[in-house]
């Protein structure tokens, strides 16, 4: 079986798959159609829990129906609210937080994530993540707000304290300028130092 270099969303899923174990608590910061929520719910198993956020009622409804149809709804909490309220709904110690920025697939493209709430949500995610846990952020440049998010996130993530976090930026260098990009942030685990 060979290796295939795939898009930002697939890379994010690969990292999360390597990090999350059954019984973990995780967050889908941008529910959308519920694909990441279902993916996370399968990873955490019956003993784990997913908390997912979206400001659009349509996204919550679609996700609830999808999860119910797959028998995964019991292990999920769906929050009809902004991801910048994450800390109000989630206790510290989560294993992974996934952001898939932009608009609801098949929805109103005028309704998109916004730089000020995205940055606030990232701060909350960083405060909640357990040692060894990760935050993945898929960015969609190519539209005005997506470009602003990319620029603001690049600046904020580059400023993270390397004693606390490691951060990696995946960008396809031979692709169009609007190709999705991925940031991967991991909270350092002091127990792994020197091992």
């Amino acid at each position: 079986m060979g290796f295939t270099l795939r898009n930002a969303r697939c890379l994010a899923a690969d990292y999360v798959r390597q990090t999350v174990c059954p019984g973990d608590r995780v967050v889908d910061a941008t529910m959308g159609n519920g694909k990441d929520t279902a993916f996370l719910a399968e990873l955490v198993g019956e003993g784990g829990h997913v908390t997912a956020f979206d400001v659009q009622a349509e996204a919550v409804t679609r996700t609830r129906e999808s999860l119910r149809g797959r028998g995964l709804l019991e292990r999920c909490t769906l929050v009809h609210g902004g991801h910048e309220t994450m800390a109000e709904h989630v206790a510290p110690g989560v294993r992974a937080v996934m952001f898939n920025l932009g608009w609801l697939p098949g929805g109103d493209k005028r309704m998109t994530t916004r730089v000020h709430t995205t940055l606030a949500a990232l701060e909350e995610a960083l405060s909640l993540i357990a040692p060894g846990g990760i935050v993945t952020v898929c960015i969609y440049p190519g539209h005005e707000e997506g470009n602003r998010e990319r620029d603001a996130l690049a600046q904020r993530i580059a400023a993270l304290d390397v004693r606390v976090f490691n951060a990696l930026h995946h960008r396809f260098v031979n692709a169009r300028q609007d190709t999705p990009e991925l940031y991967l942030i991991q909270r350092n685990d002091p127990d792994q130092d020197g091992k």
Side-chain angles (χ1 to χ4, degrees), residues 1-2 5 7 16 23 28 34 43 58 68 75 80 83 87-88 92 106 108 123-124 136 146 155 163 165 174 192:
M1 186 164 86
L5 186 57
N7 63 38
V16 169
D28 180 0
L43 288 179
E58 181 183 1
R68 184 178 289 122
R75 59 186 82 164
H80 180 202
H83 50 199
E88 296 174 23
D108 184 351
E123 296 302 325
E124 301 227 340
T136 64
Q155 185 175 10
R163 294 168 297 181
F165 297 102
N174 62 336
Q192 297 301 313

Side-chain angles (χ1 to χ4, degrees), residues 98-178:
M98 295 186 80
F99 287 85
N100 195 21
L101 303 178
W103 50 71
L104 175 65
D108 184 351
K109 291 186 177 181
R110 294 171 298 178
M111 290 285 294
T112 185
T113 53
R114 302 285 177 190
V115 66
H116 66 285
T117 50
T118 296
L119 287 174
L122 177 64
E123 296 302 325
E124 301 227 340
L126 294 174
S127 74
L128 296 171
I129 205 76
I134 63 172
V135 178
T136 64
V137 186
C138 288
I139 306 166
Y140 295 82
H143 62 103
E144 191 174 338
E145 194 63 22
N147 291 333
R148 280 199 288 265
E149 283 182 315
R150 178 186 58 195
D151 296 344
L153 286 164
Q155 185 175 10
R156 176 61 189 109
I157 294 170
L160 289 174
D161 186 344
V162 71
R163 294 168 297 181
V164 183
F165 297 102
N166 283 315
L168 183 65
H169 182 197
H170 285 282
R171 183 176 67 88
F172 288 85
V173 296
N174 62 336
R176 295 183 344 206
Q177 291 297 310
D178 62 351

Side-chain angles (χ1 to χ4, degrees), residues 55-71:
V55 295
Q56 296 184 73
E58 181 183 1
V60 179
T61 300
R62 288 182 191 180
T63 300
R64 182 177 289 113
E65 290 171 0
S66 172
L67 293 170
R68 184 178 289 122
R70 299 169 75 167

Side-chain angles (χ1 to χ4, degrees), residues 3-20 26-28 30 35-36 39-40 43 95-101 133-140 168-172 180-185:
F3 169 76
T4 303
L5 186 57
R6 299 179 297 159
N7 63 38
R9 193 165 173 275
C10 291
L11 287 169
D14 288 343
Y15 285 120
V16 169
R17 200 176 285 111
Q18 293 176 62
T19 305
V20 173
V26 297
V27 173
D28 180 0
T30 46
K35 289 184 178 177
D36 288 338
F39 165 70
L40 290 167
L43 288 179
R95 194 74 181 146
V97 178
M98 295 186 80
F99 287 85
N100 195 21
L101 303 178
I134 63 172
V135 178
T136 64
V137 186
C138 288
I139 306 166
Y140 295 82
L168 183 65
H169 182 197
H170 285 282
R171 183 176 67 88
F172 288 85
E181 302 175 18
L182 170 67
Y183 277 102
L184 171 68
I185 305 165

